[in-house]
Amino acid sequence: RSPAMKDTAAGGPPTDTLRAQYTLLIKQGCLHPEDYKTNIQRLRRLVLMEGLPVEDDGELTDRQRGQVGSCSLRGKIWKILLGVKSVDADQYTALLAKGPSPQYQKIRKDIDRTFMSDTAFAQSVDQDKLSRSLNAYVNFCSEKKLAHSYVQGGNTLMGTLLYVMPELDAFATFLTVVNEHLPLYLVPNISGVYQGLKALDYMLETGDPELYAHLRSHNYYPQLLMHSILSLGTGTPPLSEVLHLWDFYFAFGMHMNVVCTAAQIVLMRDTLLAHPSPCSMFRSLPNLDAKVIIDLALVLVRQLPDHVYEYLVDHASSSDLVFPVVREAGLGGSAPLKLNASHGSSTLKSLLPKMQT
């Protein structure tokens, strides 16, 4: 197994040491903004190779009290990686003053089923806070005359942010994620999600032709995995593993959400091949194991042809993309990806330059 996203208690540096490394990087970034590119590379490398430390006692207490304190270390790292430069309390207060949005009833319905089985989430994020922030987002879109609005799945995206950081920070981060990183996801036609599904389908077909043929013979179509893409994996428990996946996505790009979803399906291959109705299993994917998923995703993405990778990077932000047809010289079909079970730290190190676009 690669060291990516490893548990710091299992061979990595002690939690306090790792926390100090992140704190130092944040301080250096504040003191030397002219070295942004170098600092962000160091931050991404640390996220990939060591993961984030577990919550300290103060962060845990803040979360259990509803994030009334300052932003957690993970929250700070997420904001840096995503480019959240500021939060605007006056703007948020004004949006809340507008009252319930036109999507209020739809939001309330979705909130009732947000991480229903996660006790820690229920203790940390109350429904009023989640409703408030989502209605403020819809009011923001209406005020700015944006094409975005609330679509199902936005509840778990906002809920995850509220679990990690205070409400004002979560709202500002949500705006950045949706408007800058995933502008074609939370739109009425969710066009970015459909574009991502084309890349997902390609990875399954070329990464595991036997599995793909089996799925196709049992009425598979990519839209069965739409919610996994749209929700950034938040529909599959546990939430603690979702956080590790999001660390990875925010460090190396939202397009890795698509690759990690493909990796989840490939990891299910034995069960899917033996199941009489394999596509029914997509309604509820197996519990997440971020370490294993990321490890395989790194192999999948490294072997993508450059123009497919470029499509993948752009899928959430560029309209009307045409998926590139990839064919190997002299062959009629798509060139297969060659999965190799022995992938280690050298693969991770060589991956970094390609992913940092």
Side-chain angles (χ1 to χ4, degrees), residues 181-185 192 195 254 311-318 321:
H181 295 273
L182 299 172
L184 298 181
Y185 269 43
Q195 292 183 153
M254 296 297 190
Y311 170 95
L312 185 63
V313 170
D314 293 338
H315 85 275
S317 57
S318 297
L321 291 177

Side-chain angles (χ1 to χ4, degrees), residues 234-249:
T234 55
T236 306
L239 181 56
S240 58
E241 293 296 300
V242 172
L243 301 185
H244 290 307
L245 288 177
W246 279 30
D247 296 340
F248 181 58
Y249 300 163

Side-chain angles (χ1 to χ4, degrees), residues 26 32 94 104 132 139 192 205 214 241 270 324:
I26 293 173
H32 302 285
Y104 174 78
R132 216 168 31 236
N139 287 334
E205 181 181 11
H214 178 70
E241 293 296 300
D270 290 344

Side-chain angles (χ1 to χ4, degrees), residues 41-50 252 349 352:
Q41 283 184 341
R42 290 172 178 167
L43 183 59
R44 287 168 170 163
R45 184 178 291 274
L46 190 58
V47 169
L48 181 64
M49 301 304 290
E50 303 297 348
F252 294 100
K349 292 175 182 176
L352 289 172

Side-chain angles (χ1 to χ4, degrees), residues 36-320:
Y36 170 78
K37 289 185 178 180
T38 299
N39 289 330
I40 204 73
Q41 283 184 341
R42 290 172 178 167
L43 183 59
R44 287 168 170 163
R45 184 178 291 274
L46 190 58
V47 169
L48 181 64
M49 301 304 290
E50 303 297 348
L52 269 67
V54 296
E55 296 171 303
D56 63 20
D57 291 342
E59 290 175 337
L60 182 60
T61 299
D62 272 350
R63 178 168 60 73
Q64 291 173 339
R65 291 177 176 175
Q67 291 292 356
V68 295
S70 60
C71 206
S72 66
L73 177 64
R74 173 172 266 120
K76 292 175 183 177
I77 297 299
W78 281 7
K79 286 164 61 180
I80 292 169
L81 292 171
L82 291 166
V84 181
K85 298 179 177 61
S86 63
V87 296
D88 190 334
D90 291 338
Q91 177 196 51
Y92 189 57
T93 301
L95 291 170
L96 294 179
K98 292 178 179 291
S101 74
Q103 298 289 329
Y104 174 78
Q105 292 298 333
K106 184 177 181 181
I107 289 171
R108 285 303 315 183
K109 183 177 179 181
D110 286 347
I111 283 175
D112 289 338
R113 47 182 182 243
T114 303
F115 300 119
M116 290 186 300
S117 61
D118 194 297
T119 304
F121 179 84
Q123 293 174 342
S124 304
V125 182
D126 65 71
Q127 292 191 344
D128 287 343
K129 182 188 295 185
L130 185 52
S131 176
R132 216 168 31 236
S133 54
L134 287 172
N135 279 281
Y137 168 69
V138 176
N139 287 334
F140 173 85
C141 294
S142 177
E143 181 181 281
K144 301 297 183 181
K145 295 181 169 54
L146 300 177
H148 303 87
S149 187
Y150 176 79
V151 299
Q152 190 175 38
N155 56 314
T156 55
L157 298 182
M158 182 71 85
T160 304
L161 294 172
L162 288 168
Y163 184 77
V164 169
M165 58 183 75
E167 184 174 345
L168 184 57
D169 296 82
F171 180 76
T173 302
F174 186 83
L175 290 184
T176 300
V177 169
V178 172
N179 295 336
E180 298 181 22
H181 295 273
L182 299 172
L184 298 181
Y185 269 43
L186 294 194
V187 290
N189 63 0
I190 56 173
S191 57
V193 177
Y194 282 104
Q195 292 183 153
L197 288 170
K198 292 179 182 178
L200 170 64
D201 190 60
Y202 169 82
M203 282 184 279
L204 291 179
E205 181 181 11
T206 56
D208 196 330
E210 179 187 4
L211 174 60
Y212 186 79
H214 178 70
L215 293 175
R216 287 295 300 269
S217 70
H218 288 82
N219 300 316
Y220 157 80
Y221 53 96
Q223 288 79 2
L224 291 171
L225 296 164
M226 180 184 300
H227 184 69
S228 294
I229 300 296
L230 175 61
S231 68
L232 301 186
T234 55
T236 306
L239 181 56
S240 58
E241 293 296 300
V242 172
L243 301 185
H244 290 307
L245 288 177
W246 279 30
D247 296 340
F248 181 58
Y249 300 163
F250 295 169
F252 294 100
M254 296 297 190
H255 58 284
M256 293 307 300
N257 165 46
V258 178
V259 186
C260 284
T261 303
Q264 290 178 68
I265 304 307
V266 174
L267 288 166
M268 296 169 62
R269 78 178 313 274
D270 290 344
T271 304
L272 291 170
L273 289 172
H275 201 283
S277 181
C279 295
S280 65
M281 299 188 69
F282 296 157
R283 297 171 192 159
S284 180
L285 298 180
N287 280 11
L288 297 170
D289 185 332
K291 298 183 184 75
V292 174
I293 291 168
I294 291 170
D295 206 29
L296 179 55
L298 292 170
V299 178
L300 289 173
V301 75
R302 190 62 186 167
Q303 297 186 65
L304 287 176
D306 286 344
H307 43 307
V308 175
Y309 179 74
E310 290 167 5
Y311 170 95
L312 185 63
V313 170
D314 293 338
H315 85 275
S317 57
S318 297
S319 302
D320 302 322

